Amino acid sequence: MINLILLGLPGAGKGTASERIVDKYHLTHISTGDMFREAMANKTKVGLEAKSYIDKGNLVPDEVTAKLVEERLSQPDIKEGYILDGFPRTTVQAELLEGITKRLKKPLTNVIALEVDEETLIKRLSARYMCKNCGATYNKISKQPKVEGTCDRCGGHEFYQREDDKPEVVKNRLEVNEKMNAPLKDFYQKKGLLTVINGKQTPEKVFEDIDAVLSNNQ
Ligand SMILES: [Zn+2]
């Protein structure tokens, strides 16, 4: 049984890593974002409770999110383990999660942190730009137009970068996230669950390292 949390800043490669983990270990991927959307669409009790906060522009309290996570983790489809995405974000939530997993007898087995230095993350995250004419998305590192300076889709020559993708905005976003991430890492370090992996490597090598940790568990 593998019950896992992946930690890492935006751009650290959590999405790619978790796809590969799910593929190999058949874990159930549990995203709090998806859970909220589903619960609200299905108008479940917790879903409606969450919606009442969101509609007023308020944050959903930890207790409500925790209820949703508990409901989800009690479902019978989690046979070979789970990978939690988007929860916990704070140590208060981590404490709540500990209570939940104890009650359900599905304790966390691993917390893996993907570490990438800030400079690399800024480069990765600020590489995105768009066509001014049609909005097609490109990436200076991974997806350039086939003909330099010409949009593949519409043939346009003018490009721009969204405000959110500009290096100074990206830097700020990373700092906010790092402030939340650091205490969580400490929390799980103390519990003896944390493994830090170098996320600056190729996605293949990152997965190899994760695989080495997880295959020890089985
Ligand atoms: Zn275009």
Side-chain angles (χ1 to χ4, degrees):
M1 174 73 80
I2 294 170
N3 298 326
L4 174 72
I5 298 175
L6 268 186
L7 297 177
L9 298 178
K14 281 183 299 185
T16 309
S18 74
E19 274 173 29
R20 289 176 192 227
I21 296 167
V22 167
D23 268 0
K24 168 147 188 194
Y25 291 98
H26 311 115
L27 307 185
T28 307
H29 182 249
I30 297 176
S31 141
T32 28
D34 290 346
M35 276 188 327
F36 271 125
R37 277 184 290 275
E38 252 170 60
M40 287 191 281
N42 296 334
K43 300 195 167 71
T44 68
K45 193 162 160 269
V46 188
L48 291 174
E49 204 177 340
K51 194 170 183 300
S52 73
Y53 290 98
I54 293 168
D55 285 348
K56 288 182 208 131
N58 296 324
L59 283 177
V60 178
D62 286 342
E63 291 69 26
V64 178
T65 309
K67 258 191 256 175
L68 199 63
V69 171
E70 182 151 7
E71 271 184 10
R72 184 63 190 88
L73 285 178
S74 344
Q75 302 300 312
D77 66 323
I78 301 167
K79 291 196 184 79
E80 301 188 48
Y82 58 80
I83 175 164
L84 263 180
D85 180 354
F87 187 88
R89 288 196 198 277
T90 62
T91 49
V92 175
Q93 293 185 350
E95 304 267 11
L96 287 169
L97 179 65
E98 207 176 16
I100 294 169
T101 55
K102 257 185 201 149
R103 281 194 289 281
L104 299 177
K105 300 196 172 59
K106 291 174 182 167
L108 278 177
T109 56
N110 299 86
V111 176
I112 291 178
L114 298 180
E115 294 253 291
V116 181
D117 60 281
E118 192 189 63
E119 201 187 323
T120 306
L121 290 176
I122 292 175
K123 259 191 218 147
R124 284 184 185 173
L125 292 168
S126 60
R128 186 159 72 158
Y129 64 99
M130 348 255 294
C131 169
K132 223 173 192 170
N133 181 47
C134 75
T137 308
Y138 296 96
N139 187 297
K140 282 175 218 155
I141 300 169
S142 55
K143 196 192 164 203
Q144 290 280 25
K146 291 189 185 81
V147 178
E148 200 188 325
T150 304
C151 176
D152 292 345
R153 197 201 283 169
C154 74
H157 297 293
E158 279 188 89
F159 298 91
Y160 75 105
Q161 189 162 43
R162 290 189 336 170
E163 208 51 46
D164 279 0
D165 297 330
K166 290 191 174 155
E168 43 310 345
V169 180
V170 166
K171 188 172 192 312
N172 185 47
R173 177 153 51 112
L174 288 174
E175 277 159 13
V176 170
N177 273 278
E178 174 59 23
K179 269 194 197 133
M180 294 177 73
N181 220 15
L184 269 184
K185 270 199 302 194
D186 285 348
F187 180 92
Y188 287 119
Q189 172 82 56
K190 284 184 192 126
K191 304 266 175 202
L193 290 171
L194 183 75
T195 311
V196 176
I197 283 175
N198 174 8
K200 215 184 153 174
Q201 311 174 94
T202 62
E204 289 70 32
K205 185 69 178 71
V206 168
F207 181 67
E208 220 174 87
D209 288 0
I210 293 175
D211 200 20
V213 175
L214 297 182
S215 54
N216 260 337
N217 262 6
Q218 290 192 314

